Amino acid sequence: MKMKKKSVSEWVKAGDPWVWLNAGAVAISVIMVIGLLLLIAVRGLGHFWPADVVEANYALPGQPAYNIVAERVESVEVPAAQLREAGINIPDEHELMQRTLMKTGNRDVYGADFRWVLDEYLTDSKRPEMLFTAERHEWGNLYGYLKAVKENGQIVSETADLEPTASALATWQIFEKSIDRAARIHEEIKKIEKTDIGRINYGLERIRLKQRSLELEGKLTPAAEADLAVERSQYDEEYKGLQQSLIDLYGEINRDSVVVKVMDGSIHEIPVAKIVHAYRANAMGVPEKIGFYFVKLWEFLTDEPREANTEGGVFPAIFGTVMMVLLMTILVTPFGVVAAVYLREYASQGWVTRIIRIAVNNLAGVPSIVYGVFGLGFFVYFLGSGIDQAFFPEALPSPTFGTGGLMWASVTLALLTLPVVIVATEEGLARIPRNVREGSLALGATKAETLWRVVLPMASPAIMTGVILAVARAAGEVAPLMLVGVVKLAPSLPLDGNYPYIHLDQKFMHLGFHIYDVGFQSPNVEAARPLVYATALLLVIVIALLNLSAVTIRNHLREKYKSLEM
């Protein structure tokens, strides 16, 4: 039996074109999202791979040749006419030229980290095994040959060889041990400066504020002042001991230095204390490079930024982002649920309620920067200054809550995402069958007990849906945070061992703002570019993990109360 073919008009009337159009649009969207994520991942994660270092001669037509030592970053084709307009003497037979961006490092020597070269004029390219890369706390990477290692200004090992001879390798091993020693001392210094001295400074500040508070209340008696002086002297004595320890540690960490020959042939002596890592990428095999890659990746996730945020890690930004989102979720969930319960269960369904619902829906479309301005004006300047005058008069005129901080950023984003939670919760409450409520009331439960023990548990999957949408929007917001608490570099985390442990008044770092700062405010654009991709990928992963956690909870609740909905 033959099937009757549909005519074009019947096919259109049946709606099949729209089905295929929608399916195609979804497929294209998925492909674009996956492609974008792959681009970000390749550009960002590739930054941590220990790239080989090339040494070559470079001579443009009509210009003297010079030696270049650098990492290859990227290559592009450019019209020869464009190069001629830039003053480069390119022969007429060339129409396109291959140009490569080279990372030469040694910014303290050459004044710049990167330079463009034309591949055709690179000659005698080689990858010497003793050519090494040194990542430094400042001035970026250094590329060169190790000539000698010094202790207290005296040479303990040196080599004249640029090949991996026994003498050169022995000097390199001493250099590596010196770096490990400096890293251990640097961690001790960091612990004393940030943890121990930070605790003392915090304690001294609390004593100062306590004294000022007693002065304002007229209760600063000689006995109270003497007690404060005793506490202050204890901190002072502890600080003197730590200061002496720091002097000793700085003397130890500055003991070693290295003599390095760079690409222009000049010799430089560099303190080992300024070097974070040193490695010979050209002599590393694939397993060694993979191991070093994960070390760098872990450093990116757990370390603090350096070099105007273009080097180091982003742990403070990760911590600030997650902490702000958690606080925002804690604030927005109860308020959103209470508002939705009142609108759906208690408010009379008249024109006033309809206007309120329209207003809530419209609030979801307000630009986020408007919320930031409102947060700055109302929360920071009005509420914050009022809190300072009422509870922290001893700290004035320095603001405590009268300036941007973690609390005001979380409250502002809670206000921004409140409509999402209200709408999602209302929809969940509306889907609960009326007979469930009536059955609970018939068994003797009050309306409040019915809401708390029956209705809200059954609506919890919808509530979690609202929370998921709120987290997805809030975690990526940057514009309002720039006004209410986020900073380029926070000196300390908002959570530490000093009472009250969670410092809601402190400013914090955020991954979204970090991307903006590194990408658009960095003085070294080429060095910052791969970190923009890496941080963007990390922000996507953090948001995905937060959402997956919420989705897991929602699915568990949905399975738990599925039988009640049937």
Side-chain angles (χ1 to χ4, degrees):
M1 182 177 179
K2 290 186 177 181
M3 295 290 293
K4 184 179 179 182
K5 292 185 178 181
K6 286 184 179 180
S7 64
V8 175
S9 60
E10 291 176 338
W11 184 65
V12 172
K13 288 179 181 179
D16 290 347
W18 309 114
V19 174
W20 285 101
L21 183 62
N22 290 334
V26 170
I28 292 172
S29 299
V30 170
I31 292 171
M32 291 176 65
V33 170
I34 294 175
L36 177 61
L37 291 177
L38 287 175
L39 173 66
I40 294 174
V42 171
R43 293 289 185 90
L45 298 179
H47 170 67
F48 305 106
W49 185 260
D52 288 349
V53 183
V54 176
E55 182 177 14
N57 290 322
Y58 184 63
L60 289 172
Q63 296 185 19
Y66 63 90
N67 192 52
I68 186 170
V69 174
E71 294 180 12
R72 292 181 179 270
V73 179
E74 61 176 338
S75 296
V76 295
E77 285 189 341
V78 294
Q82 179 181 335
L83 299 173
R84 296 188 190 101
E85 291 176 0
I88 302 176
N89 186 19
I90 304 297
D92 295 335
E93 62 268 16
H94 292 291
E95 294 184 0
L96 288 175
M97 299 287 290
Q98 188 80 12
R99 188 171 68 164
T100 299
L101 181 64
M102 307 288 283
K103 184 176 182 180
T104 56
N106 302 8
R107 189 166 70 249
D108 50 335
V109 180
Y110 313 127
D113 290 89
F114 297 84
R115 65 182 68 181
W116 287 96
V117 299
L118 298 175
D119 290 4
E120 184 171 332
Y121 302 109
L122 277 175
T123 58
D124 299 328
S125 180
K126 55 186 178 180
R127 292 176 169 80
E129 290 190 15
M130 292 309 298
L131 193 57
F132 77 95
T133 303
E135 297 177 12
R136 298 181 286 180
H137 289 286
E138 55 185 17
W139 298 112
N141 284 4
L142 177 141
Y143 302 102
Y145 291 98
L146 180 64
K147 302 296 292 181
V149 180
K150 293 184 177 182
E151 291 183 6
N152 295 321
Q154 302 297 319
I155 295 176
V156 295
S157 181
E158 63 179 332
T159 179
D161 300 325
L162 302 182
E163 299 297 328
T165 61
S167 172
L169 293 176
T171 304
W172 177 258
Q173 290 176 354
I174 295 174
F175 178 37
E176 288 183 318
K177 292 179 181 178
S178 179
I179 293 175
D180 293 338
R181 173 183 175 275
R184 290 193 299 269
I185 298 174
H186 183 268
E187 288 301 316
E188 294 180 32
I189 292 174
K190 182 180 177 181
K191 177 182 178 298
I192 292 175
E193 289 182 339
K194 296 203 67 175
T195 305
D196 298 335
I197 294 182
R199 175 180 51 81
I200 291 173
N201 290 335
Y202 186 79
L204 291 173
E205 180 64 13
R206 292 192 66 190
I207 292 173
R208 185 189 71 81
L209 294 176
K210 185 176 180 181
Q211 181 174 353
R212 176 60 179 162
S213 177
L214 292 174
E215 287 178 0
L216 293 175
E217 296 172 1
K219 298 179 180 179
L220 187 60
T221 62
E225 195 168 358
D227 291 339
L228 293 175
V230 171
E231 291 184 41
R232 189 179 291 109
S233 64
Q234 291 175 350
Y235 281 120
D236 289 339
E237 286 298 321
E238 188 177 358
Y239 176 75
K240 288 179 182 178
L242 293 174
Q243 191 177 35
Q244 185 58 49
S245 298
L246 280 178
I247 293 173
D248 296 339
L249 288 172
Y250 274 113
E252 291 182 27
I253 200 172
N254 291 323
R255 184 196 72 176
D256 300 340
S257 61
V258 290
V259 179
V260 179
K261 179 183 177 182
V262 297
M263 75 180 191
D264 62 0
S266 60
I267 304 296
H268 301 269
E269 185 172 345
I270 300 168
V272 174
K274 293 185 177 180
I275 297 175
V276 182
H277 297 292
Y279 56 94
R280 295 181 296 124
N282 298 340
M284 295 169 69
V286 173
E288 292 176 284
K289 287 190 175 184
I290 292 175
F292 186 83
Y293 174 82
F294 284 106
V295 168
K296 288 291 297 175
L297 192 59
W298 180 249
E299 179 187 274
F300 175 69
L301 296 175
T302 59
D303 207 351
E304 297 178 352
R306 61 178 189 270
E307 281 286 314
N309 290 347
T310 60
E311 299 286 346
V314 292
F315 177 73
I318 299 173
F319 190 90
T321 302
V322 174
M323 192 168 183
M324 183 208 66
V325 170
L326 293 178
L327 286 174
M328 180 274 302
T329 305
I330 293 171
L331 290 170
V332 74
T333 304
F335 282 102
V337 171
V338 168
V341 167
Y342 176 77
L343 290 174
R344 175 59 59 178
E345 303 292 334
Y346 288 97
S348 59
Q349 303 302 311
W351 63 272
V352 175
T353 306
R354 287 197 296 271
I355 291 176
I356 292 174
R357 284 199 178 95
I358 292 171
V360 168
N361 290 329
N362 288 338
L363 281 175
V366 174
S368 59
I369 189 65
V370 176
Y371 284 98
V373 173
F374 176 81
L376 179 66
F378 182 72
F379 295 134
V380 177
Y381 291 154
F382 179 70
L383 285 183
S385 61
I387 291 173
D388 286 352
Q389 292 175 8
F391 299 102
F392 304 99
E394 66 276 5
L396 295 174
S398 298
T400 303
F401 284 97
T403 184
L406 178 62
M407 184 175 77
W408 299 135
S410 301
V411 172
T412 301
L413 289 187
L415 185 64
L416 184 148
T417 55
L418 185 61
V420 176
V421 178
I422 292 175
V423 171
T425 304
E426 269 208 271
E427 291 177 354
L429 293 172
R431 288 199 299 267
I432 297 175
R434 184 179 180 82
N435 58 5
V436 173
R437 292 178 174 85
E438 293 174 348
S440 176
L441 294 172
L443 291 173
T446 63
K447 186 172 184 179
E449 289 174 334
T450 300
L451 280 171
W452 183 252
R453 298 186 177 183
V454 178
V455 176
L456 284 180
M458 292 180 64
S460 56
I463 296 172
M464 289 305 302
T465 299
V467 171
I468 292 167
L469 296 174
V471 168
R473 181 174 182 187
E477 286 290 350
V478 176
L481 298 180
M482 295 170 67
L483 301 176
V484 292
V486 75
V487 290
K488 174 187 179 74
L489 183 63
S492 59
L493 297 177
L495 179 67
D496 58 26
N498 298 320
Y499 180 84
Y501 312 117
I502 298 179
H503 305 283
L504 299 178
D505 58 308
Q506 282 190 9
K507 298 183 184 297
F508 66 103
M509 295 181 68
H510 185 272
L511 285 171
F513 182 77
H514 190 78
I515 294 170
Y516 162 77
D517 176 70
V518 173
F520 298 98
Q521 304 295 317
S522 174
N524 195 344
V525 178
E526 297 296 345
R529 186 182 300 165
L531 283 183
V532 171
Y533 288 106
T535 310
L537 178 64
L538 183 59
L539 178 59
V540 172
I541 293 173
V542 168
I543 295 174
L545 290 176
L546 290 170
N547 284 340
L548 284 174
S549 301
V551 168
T552 302
I553 297 172
R554 183 190 64 183
N555 292 341
H556 171 73
L557 294 172
R558 183 175 289 165
E559 291 295 325
K560 183 177 180 180
Y561 298 108
K562 182 184 291 184
S563 60
L564 296 177
E565 296 176 0
M566 297 177 64

